[in-house]
Amino acid sequence: MVELLAPAGNFISLRAVLENGADAVYFGLDDYNMRANAKNFSLDDLSEVSRIAKEYGAKTYLCTNIILNERLAGELESNLESISSAEIDGLILSDIGLIEDTVAHGLEAHISVQENVTNSYTLKTLKKLGAKRAILSRELSLDEITEITEKSPIETEIFIHGAICMAISGRCFLSYGLYGRSANCGDCLQPCRKNWTLTYEEGDDNVVNFSDVEEEIFMVTGSDDGSYRTNFFSPKDMCMIEYIPNLMKSGVASFKIEGRARSPDYGAMVTGVYRQAIDDYLADPEGYDVRDEWMDELSSVFNRGFDTNFYFSTPFRTSEDNQSKFIKKDIGQVVNYYGRVGAAEIRIWDDLALGDRIMIQGRTTGSITHMIDSMQIEGESVGKVEKGCNVAIAVPTKVRENDFVYKLVERNSDD
């Protein structure tokens, strides 16, 4: 059965994706992974990460996928014993020089997408070195992935949802060139996502469109100062929810969701949707159908619009900012949870009403979304409450003291 691999940027995200059906989680270690700006985990956290994952029968993969200089390579090698002792299942490596040491410590060696694996010959060589799995290049089509996987002596993994980088398999020099902050060392400032300005001298006729895409959607916006702005460096997010049968037939061992730097509710929602889709297909491949609500749910959390990347064609659509239908508004904190009656006491600093959708997040709770259908103050039912008070809200799922509470507000709403 295919593995659903989900991201965990912190303990809240870890719980969130596990509660929503992840078969495995991947996460970063300070100094060694491609999300230096995410909260990440320390060596001392790894045993707790492993313990929590084991509660759900899930596997754990630690990202060590930056370009390692001599110092970092030596430090990582010296930490392998501690990582192994924490009962982590495997390492995601961008440096093939550490495969042998990784395997010698009883850890699976998974080769990062940073290695840009694009053919079965590379996979055969990786097998000889001891690798168990390789994440295939994001620039491959689905037909190419299927052919490579059929010939591969080791497991293959592909991305199925999340942010896509303009650079080949994420190997980019733009951030370092502009700011001295290296994407290849996990410290990307994402200049590609910014709105760029195009300028040219008056009378210059050398601005030519060489695109052979019939339906050109290369957005350039004119400005009052005579310049033009565009997001042409920023691709839309990948979304393959409509093509689960195609992916399942490819023979790939693991479907990966991108998003370690994104919020716990993002991880919860995306993992839950793909879990449903995979389970539906496995239960009845012939009768499988895409549920209408899946795309709505995926659109409700952070996204830059959706595309299928290189799976079926060359992507050409550029993204703008977050296209989510909702924003999260910080409105309160859990004071207590009364399990006997299924209610949470919440201290609020914004107004709430019946019908509002709230999100509760915490290290043990993970991330849950709930529509308010019952509220009480001092035992009396109320339809609306104002900021500055404590209110009891019926919440069927157990939450914990000090969990964060957010209200989901539609974009362009006056709330």
Side-chain angles (χ1 to χ4, degrees), residues 389-408:
C389 67
N390 284 22
V391 58
I393 297 176
V395 181
T397 303
K398 182 179 179 180
V399 296
R400 281 89 181 166
E401 182 181 359
N402 296 325
D403 281 356
F404 304 106
V405 183
Y406 305 91
K407 179 165 66 172
L408 293 177

Side-chain angles (χ1 to χ4, degrees), residues 208-222:
V208 181
N209 178 13
F210 289 104
S211 173
D212 59 359
V213 178
E214 292 183 4
E215 186 186 351
E216 180 60 66
I217 307 180
F218 185 81
M219 295 181 64
V220 178
T221 305

Side-chain angles (χ1 to χ4, degrees), residues 54-74:
K54 283 179 169 56
E55 290 179 15
Y56 298 84
K59 300 192 77 171
T60 49
Y61 307 134
L62 176 62
C63 293
T64 59
N65 56 344
I66 64 168
I67 292 178
L68 298 171
N69 59 26
E70 186 68 15
R71 177 184 64 83
L72 287 173

Side-chain angles (χ1 to χ4, degrees), residues 274-292:
Y274 279 94
R275 177 78 278 156
Q276 291 177 31
I278 292 170
D279 289 349
D280 280 6
Y281 178 82
L282 291 173
D284 184 10
E286 297 301 322
Y288 176 83
D289 195 16
V290 178
R291 300 190 198 181
D292 293 337

Side-chain angles (χ1 to χ4, degrees), residues 233-251:
F233 283 134
S234 181
K236 290 190 175 184
D237 287 0
M238 178 193 295
C239 178
M240 294 297 290
I241 192 63
E242 296 177 298
Y243 303 98
I244 291 299
N246 310 65
L247 297 176
M248 295 290 287
K249 294 171 184 176
S250 70

Side-chain angles (χ1 to χ4, degrees), residues 65-137:
N65 56 344
I66 64 168
I67 292 178
L68 298 171
N69 59 26
E70 186 68 15
R71 177 184 64 83
L72 287 173
E75 287 181 6
L76 180 55
E77 193 279 332
S78 67
N79 286 327
L80 289 176
E81 183 61 39
S82 297
I83 295 169
S84 177
S85 297
E87 299 185 7
I88 298 301
D89 291 296
L91 262 62
I92 300 174
L93 299 165
S94 62
D95 196 318
I96 62 174
L98 285 170
I99 294 176
E100 184 177 0
D101 286 330
T102 297
V103 175
H105 282 83
L107 297 159
E108 296 177 9
H110 295 193
I111 306 306
S112 169
V113 71
Q114 298 292 118
E115 277 294 319
N116 195 32
V117 176
T118 58
N119 60 69
S120 62
Y121 298 94
T122 300
L123 292 164
K124 291 171 184 175
T125 299
L126 292 173
K127 168 70 173 179
K128 294 176 183 177
L129 294 174
K132 181 176 181 180
R133 178 187 297 180
I135 298 96
L136 298 181
S137 168

